[in-house]
Amino acid sequence: MSPFKKEQENMSPTKCVECGSTNLTNILHTMEHQENGKTLVIENIPAIQCNSCKGIFLSPQASKYIDKQIAIFRTS
């Protein structure tokens, strides 16, 4: 089960903070982090994507989860 299930239901901004567009879509984002020749892939991160400028916006909870995963990655 995703650690973001409830959060994904609650994310509903109405306007892109980058370009002002109201054409937004809820997505499940995949990000890669490369460090010291190793790659960490984090999948199924709930996010909002602007269909106009393609900006991707994460909630504070998603950002904290990513930070935690990177910290674990650095110690492995």
Side-chain angles (χ1 to χ4, degrees):
M1 184 162 145
S2 168
F4 304 109
K5 182 156 177 46
K6 242 191 185 332
E7 178 179 335
Q8 189 173 12
E9 297 167 2
N10 295 330
M11 288 183 67
S12 59
T14 57
K15 189 166 135 178
C16 176
V17 298
E18 295 293 325
C19 72
S21 172
T22 57
N23 189 5
L24 307 175
T25 303
N26 287 313
I27 64 167
L28 291 176
H29 180 60
T30 298
M31 66 149 290
E32 291 186 10
H33 174 79
Q34 295 184 351
E35 196 170 300
N36 298 324
K38 298 190 299 186
T39 302
L40 168 67
V41 177
I42 304 173
E43 298 178 317
N44 298 318
I45 304 165
I48 303 291
Q49 183 170 32
C50 175
N51 294 315
S52 297
C53 72
K54 303 301 180 199
I56 295 178
F57 308 97
L58 304 172
S59 71
Q61 182 182 356
S63 293
K64 286 179 187 176
Y65 178 77
I66 292 166
D67 290 345
K68 182 178 177 182
Q69 295 305 306
I70 291 173
I72 293 168
F73 174 73
R74 287 180 175 152
T75 61
S76 63

